[in-house]
Structures are given as structure tokens and as C-alpha cells.
């Protein structure tokens, strides 16, 4: 997979306060990357900088190799975004709204307009006035608008806000389809981890302007698990693992030896214990869900 977005050491300071600190990450074509964080974490600020809507204090964001800082016009032709509520003219039809936007992007064809309309499932409603649309339909019209100039990257700030479960599901299906069929890179923020788990391939967890965790959602084998070993000589076992397997986090929890490692590491840990004369009476894998990790990472509080 190639990185179509490269965020490097991105930092925002406002009045001496660091709102976003030193963010570095990539977004790949065909990938839906989640941006999860509590209110005030800095999600909108990050996205605004990536879309050239706000200046960067430090660092940069490259889109398709172009710097948003120094080659803004080139960079932005590859990105479509919705930050906060998309601007819509409620008394115009969906079609007229898209036409209005099309005029600002001279390379967009009438065909493309119909194509994006179909892609977000609005073909039947496109001639109706936007004020008659449901919130979900408006969101989809916003996405159609963001897609109109054929971007490689879609940046969506909390697009499911205010949608009901059916609307969320619908949007989710469209976004996954866009990533898969159009090879789009999609960056989507949310403060709801249940939602991010369903839509995204991977998730960055942001807290107080910093990325504190990055997890793959759809590749469980890559997940770090907690594995509890029931052993006879607890302290001796913990000391042994700490000294001989320094890459693996080891702690004791009650009578159990708890190891944080990938599933693949279990036999090696077990062998190490047994070969050193420690009796192993049980091994239990405790898979930590994204929710637990999110709460752990953010301390379960907003700020
Ligand atoms: N123009 C500004 N001046 C001063 N502080 C700001 C400004 N814009 C944002 N902030 C602060 O930066 C922090 C991050 O705000 P931001 O809107 O990026 O968070 P967020 O993660 O999008 O939150 P939410 O989930 O509520 O949308 C907040 O503490 C906010 O008060
Ligand atoms: Mg926000």
C-alpha cells in the first residue's frame, strides 16, 4: 500500500498553547483510518490544517507528494473534506448544490456529477430541495460534493454526528465501498469507538493533541493481547521473563503472571518458563477490546 497522505511532525500552537503536538502518520490508498479522541483532543484542528483551512505551526502534511504548506493548490486538488457542517443551500436542490460546487472546479464534468450522485445513493432525490432531505441524505450530499473533483483522499470530521443507527450504517457502507471500489484513502474522526471499530481498518487515538495509540482494527493477529499465566513461582517467573524477554511487558496481577504480547509469542514465553523450572498450570488469553484500550489510553475521561 502506498501512502497518499504523509503527516509529519504536525503541530499547532494557539496563543502559546500546543493544541496539536508533533503528529506523524500516513494514510494509504484504499484504507479507512479512524481518528478517535474525546472532545477537545484536537481532531478538528488537525483536519483543518490538513485541508489547508488553518495554518500549521510546525511540520507539514503531504498529499500525493505535495506539501499543503508550500504547494497548497496542487496538494488540495487531491483532497476532499467535510469539516463541521457542510455548506448547503437548503432552498436549492441537491443537484443545484452540486452544480454550484462544480462551477468552482472547472475540470468536473456533468458525468462525474451523476456518478458521485449515484455513488452516494441520491440519484432519485437529487432534484429535490435539500430542505426536504433527512440528515443522512444531507451528509451523503456533502460527501458527493467532497468527491466531485475526484480526490484521492477524503477527510471527514465526525460525519455520523446526529445520524440515527440506520443512517450511520448506510454511511458506513458507502464509505467502505468508496475505499474499496474507488481506492480512496478516508480519514474519519469520531469520539465513538464503537463506530470507529465498524468503519475503519486502523485507528489513531488522540488525546490532548497527541497520538497515544495506533491500532489495527481488522487484523486481530497483529493485536497486542494480555496473556495470563498461572505459575507456581510468581516472582521468580516475572524476573526471568523481564531479564530474558525485554521486549515483552510483564506484570503480576494477584496470583497471575500477566504478559502483554502478540499471540505468536505465547509458545516462546511458555517454553522459557518451563525450561527454567517454573511450573505452568494454565494459560489464558485476555483479548483487550478497542474500547478497553481507548478507555485505558484516555483514562476514561474527556480531558
Ligand atoms: N481558535 C482557537 N483558539 C483557541 N483554542 C482553540 C481554538 N481552536 C481550538 N482550540 C482548542 O483546541 C483544543 C482542540 O480543539 P478541537 O476542536 O480540535 O478538538 P476536537 O478533538 O475536534 O473536539 P470535539 O470532539 O469536541 O470536536 C480544544 O481545547 C479547543 O478549545
Ligand atoms: Mg471536532
Amino acid at each position: 500500500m502506498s501512502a497518499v497522505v504523509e503527516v509529519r511532525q504536525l503541530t499547532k500552537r494557539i496563543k502559546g498553547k500546543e493544541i496539536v503536538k508533533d503528529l506523524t502518520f500516513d494514510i494509504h490508498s484504499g484504507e479507512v483510518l479512524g481518528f478517535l479522541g474525546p472532545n477537545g483532543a484536537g481532531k478538528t484542528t488537525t483536519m483543518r490544517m490538513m485541508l489547508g483551512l488553518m495554518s500549521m505551526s510546525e511540520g507539514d502534511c503531504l498529499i500525493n507528494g505535495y506539501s499543503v504548506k508550500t504547494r497548497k493548490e496542487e496538494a488540495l486538488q487531491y483532497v476532499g473534506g467535510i469539516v463541521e457542517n457542510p455548506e448547503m443551500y437548503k432552498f436549492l436542490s441537491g443537484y443545484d448544490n452540486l452544480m454550484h460546487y462544480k462551477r468552482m472546479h472547472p475540470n468536473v464534468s456533468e458525468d462525474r456529477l451523476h456518478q458521485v450522485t449515484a455513488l452516494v445513493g441520491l440519484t432519485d432525490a437529487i432534484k429535490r430541495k435539500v430542505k426536504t432531505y433527512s440528515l443522512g441524505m444531507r451528509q451523503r450530499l456533502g460527501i458527493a460534493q467532497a468527491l466531485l473533483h475526484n480526490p484521492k483522499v477524503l477527510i471527514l470530521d465526525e460525519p455520523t454526528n446526529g445520524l440515527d443507527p440506520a443512517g450511520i450504517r448506510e454511511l458506513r457502507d458507502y464509505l467502505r465501498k468508496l475505499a474499496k471500489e474507488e481506492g480512496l484513502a478516508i480519514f474519519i474522526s469520531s469520539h465513538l469507538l464503537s463506530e470507529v471499530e465498524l468503519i475503519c481498518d486502523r485507528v489513531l487515538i488522540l488525546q490532548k493533541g497527541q497520538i497515544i495509540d495506533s491500532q489495527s482494527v481488522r487484523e486481530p493477529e497483529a493485536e497486542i493481547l494480555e496473556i495470563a499465566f498461572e505459575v507456581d513461582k510468581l516472582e521468580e517467573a516475572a524476573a526471568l521473563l523481564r531479564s530474558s524477554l525485554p521486549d515483552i511487558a510483564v506484570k503480576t496481577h494477584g496470583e497471575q503472571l500477566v504478559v502483554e504480547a502478540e499471540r505468536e509469542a505465547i509458545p516462546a514465553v511458555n517454553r522459557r518458563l518451563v525450561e527454567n523450572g517454573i511450573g505452568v498450570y494454565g494459560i489464558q488469553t485476555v483479548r483487550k477490546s478497542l474500547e478497553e484500550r481507548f478507555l485505558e489510553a484516555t483514562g476514561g475521561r474527556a480531558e
Side-chain angles (χ1 to χ4, degrees):
M1 280 202 296
S2 58
V4 61
V5 177
E6 297 160 78
V7 172
R8 294 292 177 265
Q9 277 108 38
L10 187 59
T11 298
K12 181 69 186 181
R13 271 186 300 272
I14 299 178
K15 293 183 191 124
K17 190 175 172 243
E18 281 197 326
I19 309 280
V20 170
K21 298 172 202 167
D22 201 26
L23 302 192
T24 293
F25 59 90
D26 289 344
I27 313 175
H28 301 100
S29 297
E31 167 182 58
V32 184
L33 178 63
F35 201 31
L36 185 62
N39 293 133
K43 304 179 295 293
T44 300
T45 305
T46 303
M47 289 179 153
R48 290 180 68 86
M49 287 192 283
M50 292 170 72
L51 285 164
L53 298 169
M54 186 189 247
S55 68
M56 308 174 190
S57 304
E58 310 274 349
D60 203 350
C61 171
L62 305 187
I63 296 176
N64 210 25
Y66 292 104
S67 157
V68 173
K69 215 174 202 170
T70 59
R71 305 285 298 272
K72 190 163 166 174
E73 203 171 309
E74 289 99 326
L76 293 186
Q77 68 186 344
Y78 298 104
V79 57
I82 307 179
V83 178
E84 266 114 49
N85 290 326
E87 281 285 312
M88 290 293 165
Y89 299 97
K90 289 186 183 162
F91 293 95
L92 295 181
S93 66
Y95 179 83
D96 288 337
N97 268 279
L98 291 181
M99 278 305 280
H100 177 75
Y101 197 75
K102 178 179 172 305
R103 268 176 231 121
M104 298 187 279
H105 294 272
N107 295 330
V108 174
S109 66
E110 182 85 17
D111 270 357
R112 176 67 185 166
L113 199 151
H114 293 297
Q115 197 188 353
V116 295
T117 303
L119 207 59
V120 300
L122 281 178
T123 302
D124 290 343
I126 201 66
K127 293 286 167 80
R128 268 164 53 190
K129 286 198 167 88
V130 170
K131 66 173 182 176
T132 71
Y133 284 12
S134 69
L135 191 58
M137 290 164 81
R138 275 179 219 180
Q139 292 283 33
R140 271 150 48 201
L141 183 63
I143 290 170
Q145 180 178 303
L147 285 171
L148 209 51
H149 62 293
N150 222 338
K152 291 177 183 290
V153 185
L154 203 52
I155 295 181
L156 305 174
D157 192 16
E158 311 231 16
T160 58
N161 254 358
L163 295 185
D164 62 16
I168 292 177
R169 206 213 140 96
E170 213 171 52
L171 183 67
R172 187 175 88 208
D173 292 345
Y174 283 119
L175 292 179
R176 292 219 56 83
K177 185 170 124 183
L178 285 172
K180 213 164 157 197
E181 292 174 13
E182 303 257 302
L184 238 75
I186 303 182
F187 190 41
I188 170 172
S189 74
S190 175
H191 57 271
L192 295 177
L193 44 124
S194 51
E195 177 179 294
V196 160
E197 263 181 324
L198 291 171
I199 303 183
C200 302
D201 303 298
R202 197 158 63 91
V203 56
L204 304 176
I205 299 179
L206 190 76
Q207 190 199 19
K208 294 180 185 166
Q210 282 177 298
I211 293 175
I212 51 169
D213 203 356
S214 163
Q215 293 282 346
S216 178
V217 180
R218 281 166 193 273
E219 296 161 38
E221 66 276 12
E223 272 196 326
I224 298 295
L225 307 175
E226 268 195 3
I227 305 132
F229 288 79
E230 198 185 316
V231 295
D232 53 2
K233 288 167 273 182
L234 189 61
E235 292 306 327
E236 195 183 317
L240 169 73
L241 292 186
R242 282 188 189 117
S243 62
S244 63
L245 300 171
D247 293 340
I248 291 180
V250 177
K251 60 189 175 190
T252 56
H253 185 75
E255 294 299 298
Q256 287 182 323
L257 180 71
V258 179
V259 164
E260 283 183 34
E262 288 179 21
R263 188 180 151 74
E264 281 62 39
I266 298 175
V269 173
N270 186 44
R271 201 176 314 121
R272 191 60 55 105
L273 292 170
V274 173
E275 281 172 357
N276 285 278
I278 290 167
V280 176
Y281 291 85
I283 303 174
Q284 199 186 0
T285 300
V286 190
R287 179 189 292 278
K288 278 203 270 177
S289 70
L290 188 62
E291 176 170 18
E292 286 167 312
R293 295 196 300 268
F294 175 65
L295 292 176
E296 197 176 274
T298 59
R301 289 183 308 277
E303 275 180 282

